[in-house]
Amino acid sequence: MNPSTRRKKERSSEESYIGPSINLTPPQTPPSDTPRVKRVRRYKGVPYETEFCEIRSEEITIGPGRVGGPNLCRLPVLADEDNRGSSSRRAYENGLRAEVAKILDEEKVIYEDLALQRRRWYFENYNTTDEELETVIVGCADNREDSKTWHSACIKIREFFIEQGLQDLNIEIASPMGIAPRQSWEVEVEHPLMKIWRDIRVTIHELLRGKEWISLELFRRGKHYTLDNTCPVTIVVTIAEDSVSDWPDTVERIVLVTENYGMKDVAVEVSRGRIVFHEDRALLGEGDWDQEAKVGHSIGPHNQIHHPSTLGGFLDLTFGSQRKTYGVTCFHCVAPATISNPSLSKWEKEGIIPGNRTNDLAMDQPSLGDHEESLRFYEKQRTQIDHEKHRLTRAMLANPEHPDFPVTPREESSFHANEITVTRFDNFISSARGFVASGSHYLGTVYAASGKRRANYGNLENVTCDWALIDVAPHRMSRNYLPKQDDLPKGAQLLFSAASDVIAGVGSEKSYQNVFKRGRSSGVTWGKYAGLQTSDIKSWKLQPDGTQKEIVGEDRRVLGQPNPTKDLFGEGGDSGSFIVGPTGQFIGIYWGGNTVTGASYFTGADAIFEDIMHITGASSVDITRQWPISSCLPTSWLLFPQVCGQDQ
């Protein structure tokens, strides 16, 4: 089955789930009686047992807190009501809404909101429109669920849609809790499972061997959280979107493993997802077209519109008595899987050493795709202000003999205010276009990179290496500026106390430490480092005989704060961001995030420095503390003489 087709039909990210044991024994039962326990079991988000529904419908799905079909959008959802040109919107405004409300009243569904939306999975590609689901969404006032009534109403509403020729229109009735995404929290170190988790993991790895899994993690998981830790401790396995393995059977086997260790209060969840690296849309601000490079802002492969990412900052490499400064991002940002260079496969496994003859990689800031998308947005905003009435007012004020003259004082005042805004838009758009047209967006060539590999040498044991060094043009050099207090998320201002406005040194990660980053997509975010609670990420290594060997490594993770799911620490396009501690010290590079658990992954500074020395031959690596130094003018910059102010 085509993966994209499969994803379009998926109603839930959750593939298989078994909850913790629930004691059903009445309070007055004699101690000698065997306790009655039960575990909730779900497949594709639907409970194994449904206790009602005399009238069955293959189209209507019954899930926790939500009922609908034929396609329920995966959680979390991005919704947009701007679908005015669709046939569904016209029908909705011309009687369909009233008919839906009538059916809801007849079925005694108590609801608060009724709307027609285009809905898609939050992590779906922004430029993909075929994944959007037009849905009439019925929002209920509270979390009291009446699945039987909702199910009956959905069947009748779908029948009405089909009668009206709207076969692709979906219906969904949901409570606030039903459409809330499941959240993740770190398990407290005192929990009994934490003491034996390393042993259990080894057994689970064997059960997962040969299957299409991505990560194995341990969290408290649920849709709400209280201080008494009521959300169950959950073993979470993220699997590939196109996985075809028998996951219900695997989940049962994992549950048996936990029970053998006496852990009956532990749930097991298998959900489809991915580790997100790239994002296809971000809105740039005025400062993104400055000559001085901006750390934490948009970059992308030279003159390409796809695969935007983040310039993390600058590092100093020492070669003998010389020090040289390089810009830093991730390898997968400078060499995405779509490039046509025949050396890509070798680079991924071995990295890019300095002087590699096949290395033709270069980077821009801002990303050309972000540049074009942002100008389209600003031009649309300008057009909405400089509309027909505004242009007519301009003509009337310029010509007192105009037949529609005079203009009222209020209209004239509004016109002049809008005229100032239109002029600002014109100047801004013209400046941004000129910046790119002159080649000023060119940032530099790729000097060296790690590849996308796990390192096993020296102090590195199965460590994810995903970094790249950019030979930044001298006139675009900048400093490792830290986030300003005003940029920090609410609740984080008192937790960040850097003594300088730039990164002053290198620090090490500490368990449950507050950390911060600035990324191209999510901006300045706040998270908490999990310490000893790492994530098992699966990868593959090519063997000499041509076969692929499955390798599992432990990766550091961060959960966003204050709400770990709503406030993601990193998003697609943030790869390459520098992560800093509460006093502004550099502690690592962000390289990806999990769409299921909301966890963000990074590699620590010490591991990055050791691998950079291994690949480049540098004698030492450090964070750039002073103004960056370029010891020589690389000949590669002569390919872009107009950027460096040289004659053609």
Short mmCIF file of all heavy atoms in Angstrom, two decimals, residues 549-583:
data_model
loop_
_atom_site.label_atom_id
_atom_site.label_comp_id
_atom_site.label_asym_id
_atom_site.label_seq_id
_atom_site.Cartn_x
_atom_site.Cartn_y
_atom_site.Cartn_z
N LYS A 549 22.69 -3.78 9.58
CA LYS A 549 22.60 -4.25 10.96
C LYS A 549 21.82 -3.23 11.79
O LYS A 549 22.07 -2.04 11.74
CB LYS A 549 23.99 -4.44 11.56
CG LYS A 549 23.98 -4.94 13.00
CD LYS A 549 25.38 -5.09 13.56
CE LYS A 549 25.37 -5.56 15.00
NZ LYS A 549 26.74 -5.67 15.56
N GLU A 550 20.87 -3.75 12.57
CA GLU A 550 20.06 -2.89 13.43
C GLU A 550 20.88 -2.45 14.64
O GLU A 550 21.46 -3.27 15.34
CB GLU A 550 18.81 -3.65 13.87
CG GLU A 550 17.81 -2.85 14.67
CD GLU A 550 16.57 -3.65 14.99
OE1 GLU A 550 15.91 -4.16 14.05
OE2 GLU A 550 16.25 -3.78 16.19
N ILE A 551 20.93 -1.13 14.88
CA ILE A 551 21.69 -0.58 16.00
C ILE A 551 20.76 0.27 16.85
O ILE A 551 19.97 1.05 16.32
CB ILE A 551 22.87 0.28 15.51
CG1 ILE A 551 23.85 -0.57 14.71
CG2 ILE A 551 23.58 0.95 16.67
CD1 ILE A 551 24.98 0.21 14.12
N VAL A 552 20.85 0.12 18.16
CA VAL A 552 20.04 0.92 19.07
C VAL A 552 20.97 1.76 19.94
O VAL A 552 21.89 1.24 20.56
CB VAL A 552 19.14 0.04 19.97
CG1 VAL A 552 18.33 0.92 20.92
CG2 VAL A 552 18.21 -0.81 19.11
N GLY A 553 20.72 3.05 19.96
CA GLY A 553 21.53 3.95 20.78
C GLY A 553 20.65 4.74 21.73
O GLY A 553 19.46 4.91 21.50
N GLU A 554 21.26 5.23 22.80
CA GLU A 554 20.54 6.06 23.76
C GLU A 554 20.79 7.54 23.44
O GLU A 554 21.93 7.96 23.32
CB GLU A 554 21.01 5.77 25.19
CG GLU A 554 20.71 4.37 25.66
CD GLU A 554 21.18 4.16 27.10
OE1 GLU A 554 20.93 5.05 27.93
OE2 GLU A 554 21.81 3.13 27.36
N ASP A 555 19.70 8.29 23.29
CA ASP A 555 19.83 9.71 22.95
C ASP A 555 19.23 10.58 24.05
O ASP A 555 18.20 10.24 24.65
CB ASP A 555 19.14 9.99 21.61
CG ASP A 555 19.95 9.47 20.44
OD1 ASP A 555 20.94 10.12 20.08
OD2 ASP A 555 19.60 8.41 19.89
N ARG A 556 19.88 11.71 24.28
CA ARG A 556 19.39 12.67 25.26
C ARG A 556 18.09 13.30 24.77
O ARG A 556 17.94 13.53 23.57
CB ARG A 556 20.44 13.76 25.50
CG ARG A 556 21.72 13.28 26.15
CD ARG A 556 22.76 14.39 26.10
NE ARG A 556 23.92 14.12 26.94
CZ ARG A 556 24.99 13.45 26.53
NH1 ARG A 556 25.01 12.96 25.30
NH2 ARG A 556 26.01 13.25 27.34
N ARG A 557 17.21 13.60 25.71
CA ARG A 557 15.93 14.18 25.31
C ARG A 557 15.52 15.32 26.23
O ARG A 557 15.96 15.41 27.38
CB ARG A 557 14.83 13.12 25.27
CG ARG A 557 14.38 12.60 26.64
CD ARG A 557 13.13 11.72 26.49
NE ARG A 557 12.64 11.26 27.77
CZ ARG A 557 12.57 9.99 28.14
NH1 ARG A 557 12.98 9.05 27.32
NH2 ARG A 557 12.10 9.65 29.33
N VAL A 558 14.67 16.18 25.68
CA VAL A 558 14.12 17.33 26.39
C VAL A 558 12.62 17.34 26.16
O VAL A 558 12.14 17.05 25.06
CB VAL A 558 14.73 18.65 25.86
CG1 VAL A 558 14.05 19.85 26.49
CG2 VAL A 558 16.22 18.70 26.11
N LEU A 559 11.85 17.68 27.20
CA LEU A 559 10.42 17.91 27.06
C LEU A 559 10.14 19.39 27.24
O LEU A 559 10.68 20.04 28.14
CB LEU A 559 9.61 17.11 28.10
CG LEU A 559 9.52 15.61 27.88
CD1 LEU A 559 8.67 14.97 28.98
CD2 LEU A 559 8.92 15.27 26.52
N GLY A 560 9.30 19.94 26.35
CA GLY A 560 8.96 21.35 26.41
C GLY A 560 8.24 21.71 27.69
O GLY A 560 7.55 20.89 28.30
N GLN A 561 8.38 22.96 28.10
CA GLN A 561 7.74 23.46 29.31
C GLN A 561 6.95 24.73 28.97
O GLN A 561 7.30 25.43 28.02
CB GLN A 561 8.80 23.78 30.37
CG GLN A 561 9.63 22.58 30.80
CD GLN A 561 8.83 21.53 31.53
OE1 GLN A 561 8.01 21.85 32.39
NE2 GLN A 561 9.06 20.27 31.21
N PRO A 562 5.90 25.09 29.72
CA PRO A 562 5.40 24.36 30.89
C PRO A 562 4.50 23.18 30.55
O PRO A 562 4.29 22.30 31.36
CB PRO A 562 4.61 25.43 31.64
CG PRO A 562 4.14 26.36 30.59
CD PRO A 562 5.23 26.39 29.55
N ASN A 563 3.93 23.15 29.31
CA ASN A 563 3.07 22.05 28.89
C ASN A 563 3.85 21.22 27.88
O ASN A 563 4.10 21.66 26.77
CB ASN A 563 1.78 22.58 28.25
CG ASN A 563 0.81 21.47 27.86
OD1 ASN A 563 1.21 20.43 27.37
ND2 ASN A 563 -0.46 21.72 28.08
N PRO A 564 4.27 19.98 28.23
CA PRO A 564 5.19 19.22 27.38
C PRO A 564 4.69 18.93 25.98
O PRO A 564 5.51 18.70 25.09
CB PRO A 564 5.38 17.91 28.18
CG PRO A 564 5.07 18.28 29.58
CD PRO A 564 3.96 19.30 29.49
N THR A 565 3.36 18.89 25.75
CA THR A 565 2.87 18.60 24.41
C THR A 565 2.47 19.86 23.67
O THR A 565 2.81 20.06 22.52
CB THR A 565 1.67 17.63 24.48
OG1 THR A 565 2.10 16.42 25.11
CG2 THR A 565 1.17 17.30 23.09
N LYS A 566 1.78 20.75 24.34
CA LYS A 566 1.37 22.00 23.70
C LYS A 566 2.58 22.87 23.40
O LYS A 566 2.68 23.49 22.34
CB LYS A 566 0.38 22.74 24.60
CG LYS A 566 -0.08 24.07 24.03
CD LYS A 566 -1.02 24.78 25.01
CE LYS A 566 -1.42 26.14 24.49
NZ LYS A 566 -2.28 26.87 25.48
N ASP A 567 3.51 22.93 24.36
CA ASP A 567 4.69 23.78 24.22
C ASP A 567 5.88 22.91 23.82
O ASP A 567 6.75 22.60 24.64
CB ASP A 567 4.97 24.51 25.54
CG ASP A 567 3.78 25.34 25.99
OD1 ASP A 567 3.37 26.22 25.23
OD2 ASP A 567 3.28 25.10 27.10
N LEU A 568 5.93 22.50 22.56
CA LEU A 568 7.00 21.65 22.09
C LEU A 568 8.33 22.40 22.18
O LEU A 568 8.42 23.58 21.85
CB LEU A 568 6.75 21.22 20.65
CG LEU A 568 5.51 20.35 20.40
CD1 LEU A 568 5.33 20.11 18.92
CD2 LEU A 568 5.64 19.02 21.14
N PHE A 569 9.37 21.69 22.62
CA PHE A 569 10.69 22.32 22.72
C PHE A 569 11.25 22.59 21.33
O PHE A 569 11.93 23.60 21.11
CB PHE A 569 11.63 21.43 23.52
CG PHE A 569 12.98 22.04 23.74
CD1 PHE A 569 13.13 23.14 24.58
CD2 PHE A 569 14.11 21.52 23.12
CE1 PHE A 569 14.38 23.71 24.78
CE2 PHE A 569 15.36 22.09 23.33
CZ PHE A 569 15.50 23.19 24.16
N GLY A 570 11.01 21.69 20.40
CA GLY A 570 11.50 21.88 19.04
C GLY A 570 10.51 21.39 18.01
O GLY A 570 9.70 20.50 18.29
N GLU A 571 10.55 21.99 16.83
CA GLU A 571 9.67 21.59 15.74
C GLU A 571 10.51 21.39 14.48
O GLU A 571 11.70 21.71 14.45
CB GLU A 571 8.58 22.64 15.50
CG GLU A 571 7.64 22.82 16.67
CD GLU A 571 6.47 23.75 16.35
OE1 GLU A 571 6.25 24.01 15.15
OE2 GLU A 571 5.81 24.22 17.28
N GLY A 572 9.87 20.85 13.43
CA GLY A 572 10.55 20.70 12.16
C GLY A 572 11.11 22.03 11.70
O GLY A 572 10.42 23.05 11.74
N GLY A 573 12.35 22.04 11.23
CA GLY A 573 12.99 23.28 10.82
C GLY A 573 13.86 23.89 11.89
O GLY A 573 14.63 24.82 11.64
N ASP A 574 13.77 23.36 13.13
CA ASP A 574 14.62 23.85 14.23
C ASP A 574 15.95 23.12 14.30
O ASP A 574 16.81 23.49 15.11
CB ASP A 574 13.90 23.69 15.58
CG ASP A 574 12.79 24.70 15.78
OD1 ASP A 574 12.80 25.73 15.10
OD2 ASP A 574 11.90 24.44 16.62
N SER A 575 16.13 22.09 13.49
CA SER A 575 17.37 21.32 13.54
C SER A 575 18.58 22.23 13.35
O SER A 575 18.60 23.09 12.48
CB SER A 575 17.37 20.25 12.44
OG SER A 575 16.39 19.28 12.68
N GLY A 576 19.59 22.01 14.18
CA GLY A 576 20.78 22.83 14.16
C GLY A 576 20.82 23.84 15.29
O GLY A 576 21.86 24.45 15.54
N SER A 577 19.69 24.04 15.98
CA SER A 577 19.63 25.05 17.04
C SER A 577 20.59 24.70 18.18
O SER A 577 20.69 23.55 18.60
CB SER A 577 18.21 25.13 17.61
OG SER A 577 17.27 25.48 16.61
N PHE A 578 21.26 25.73 18.70
CA PHE A 578 22.08 25.56 19.90
C PHE A 578 21.17 25.50 21.12
O PHE A 578 20.24 26.30 21.26
CB PHE A 578 23.04 26.73 20.07
CG PHE A 578 24.31 26.62 19.26
CD1 PHE A 578 24.43 25.68 18.25
CD2 PHE A 578 25.39 27.46 19.50
CE1 PHE A 578 25.59 25.58 17.50
CE2 PHE A 578 26.56 27.37 18.77
CZ PHE A 578 26.67 26.43 17.76
N ILE A 579 21.45 24.56 22.01
CA ILE A 579 20.73 24.45 23.28
C ILE A 579 21.64 25.01 24.37
O ILE A 579 22.83 24.66 24.44
CB ILE A 579 20.34 23.00 23.58
CG1 ILE A 579 19.37 22.48 22.51
CG2 ILE A 579 19.70 22.89 24.97
CD1 ILE A 579 18.98 21.03 22.68
N VAL A 580 21.09 25.88 25.19
CA VAL A 580 21.88 26.51 26.26
C VAL A 580 21.23 26.25 27.61
O VAL A 580 20.01 26.03 27.71
CB VAL A 580 22.05 28.02 26.04
CG1 VAL A 580 22.80 28.29 24.75
CG2 VAL A 580 20.71 28.73 26.03
N GLY A 581 22.05 26.28 28.66
CA GLY A 581 21.57 26.09 30.02
C GLY A 581 21.07 27.39 30.63
O GLY A 581 21.06 28.44 29.98
N PRO A 582 20.67 27.35 31.91
CA PRO A 582 20.06 28.51 32.55
C PRO A 582 20.99 29.71 32.72
O PRO A 582 20.52 30.83 32.90
CB PRO A 582 19.60 27.97 33.91
CG PRO A 582 20.41 26.75 34.15
CD PRO A 582 20.68 26.17 32.80
N THR A 583 22.31 29.49 32.65
CA THR A 583 23.25 30.62 32.74
C THR A 583 23.83 30.97 31.37
O THR A 583 24.80 31.74 31.28
CB THR A 583 24.40 30.30 33.71
OG1 THR A 583 25.07 29.10 33.27
CG2 THR A 583 23.87 30.10 35.12
#
